[in-house]
């Protein structure tokens, strides 16, 4: 969907698997608040969720994304008014992709997008990659109270300086502001970044809350066209 649509979307208890491309593809610019909940996507040839276009406000809650070839979530859009939220997700890359979540080109500057109370595992390089292109608007992403099955973050050296990247690990109170590796402060070589503690942050920490839905790795993975 594109343009200023007036409808409000509620997408609940749906399943997408073994598709050639994405499990869900959103390309919507709107002021309304939309909800995707209890969605499962596995063994798709693209992303579990590819979310665009420029500015919108969505809530993705209690979703399971397993073994999708490109990764769990590709984030193009930033928030429009309240910002988008990905809360309580279980993303298991199952060794298929470098990243569980990756940002992409942002056409317009907007409100923060938050990933919270989620678990990221099975990826090859990092849970969340910040790869917004230098000719687009900078990343504005909060990663709060999430668990990781390996390296947490990776900042693309070709991306522009972010507007705001915050990390608070699950079960901890410290909030870190993440910058590019040339941003000074404490070097975080595994992230290709640096970080500084945030003096005050209003939102209290909350426990990880992933969906009860479980998927068995039974169906054959779908390959991507062209490799």
């Amino acid at each position: 969907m594109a343009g200023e649509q007036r409808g409000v979307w509620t997408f609940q208890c749906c399943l997408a698997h073994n598709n050639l491309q994405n499990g869900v593809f959103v390309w919507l610019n709107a002021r309304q608040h939309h909800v995707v909940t209890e969605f499962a996507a596995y063994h798709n040839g693209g992303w579990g969720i590819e979310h665009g276009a420029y500015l919108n406000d969505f809530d993705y809650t209690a979703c399971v994304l397993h073994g999708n070839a490109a990764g769990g979530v590709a984030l193009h859009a930033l928030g429009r008014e309240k910002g988008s939220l990905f809360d309580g997700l279980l993303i298991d890359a199952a060794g298929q992709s470098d990243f569980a979540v990756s940002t992409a080109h942002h056409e317009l500057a907007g409100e923060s997008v938050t990933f919270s109370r989620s678990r990221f595992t099975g990826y090859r390089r990092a849970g969340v990659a910040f790869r917004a292109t230098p000719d687009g608007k900078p990343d504005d992403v909060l990663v709060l109270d999430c668990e990781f099955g390996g390296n947490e973050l990776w900042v693309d050296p070709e991306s522009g300086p972010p507007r705001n990247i915050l990390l608070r690990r699950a079960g901890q109170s410290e909030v870190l502001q993440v910058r590019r590796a040339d941003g000074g402060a404490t070097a975080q070589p595994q992230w290709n970044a640096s970080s500084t503690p945030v003096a005050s942050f209003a939102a209290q920490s909350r426990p990880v809350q992933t969906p009860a839905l479980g998927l068995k790795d039974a169906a054959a993975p779908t390959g991507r066209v062209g490799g």
Side-chain angles (χ1 to χ4, degrees):
M1 301 294 291
E4 288 288 346
Q5 305 296 329
R6 294 182 178 272
V8 175
W9 290 84
T10 299
F11 188 73
Q12 183 175 8
C13 297
C14 294
L15 172 68
H17 69 92
N18 290 82
N19 292 293
L20 193 61
Q21 295 297 327
N22 301 311
V24 161
F25 177 74
V26 170
W27 207 253
L28 179 68
N29 300 311
R31 297 185 182 280
Q32 293 77 19
H33 177 223
H34 306 271
V35 176
V36 177
T37 186
E38 297 178 282
F39 168 65
Y42 69 91
H43 291 171
N44 295 291
W47 297 91
I49 297 169
E50 186 167 4
H51 181 76
Y54 306 152
L55 302 177
N56 54 43
D57 293 336
F58 270 70
D59 280 3
Y60 292 89
T61 63
C63 299
V64 176
L65 310 175
H66 176 88
N68 298 289
V73 176
L75 178 68
H76 300 266
L78 293 173
R80 179 140 198 174
E81 293 179 355
K82 70 170 279 189
S84 287
L85 173 68
F86 293 78
D87 183 61
L89 274 59
L90 174 59
I91 303 180
D92 185 351
Q96 298 296 307
S97 60
D98 284 344
F99 311 113
V101 173
S102 180
T103 65
H105 183 92
H106 305 311
E107 290 283 352
L108 299 175
E111 300 300 317
S112 299
V113 175
T114 301
F115 290 85
S116 61
R117 302 193 302 168
S118 298
R119 176 163 177 76
F120 308 130
T121 190
Y123 46 83
R124 295 192 291 255
R125 293 184 64 184
V128 182
F130 298 95
R131 308 191 71 183
T133 55
D135 59 331
K137 300 302 180 182
D139 275 321
D140 191 343
V141 179
L142 283 59
V143 182
L144 303 176
D145 310 320
C146 295
E147 290 181 345
F148 296 86
N151 186 36
E152 296 130 322
L153 310 178
W154 187 75
V155 178
D156 194 326
E158 299 301 320
S159 66
R163 177 185 175 190
N164 193 35
I165 297 174
L166 297 183
L167 171 68
R168 181 171 63 199
R169 299 177 176 96
Q172 298 188 16
S173 59
E174 182 183 56
V175 178
L176 297 176
Q177 179 82 55
V178 180
R179 299 295 186 192
R180 296 196 316 183
D182 56 5
T186 302
Q188 303 285 358
Q190 73 278 19
W191 302 346
N192 190 40
S194 61
S195 69
T196 56
V198 175
S200 62
F201 188 73
Q204 298 295 314
S205 63
R206 298 183 297 164
V208 172
Q209 185 173 327
T210 52
L213 175 64
L215 298 174
K216 294 184 178 179
D217 195 5
T222 301
R224 301 185 71 186
V225 173

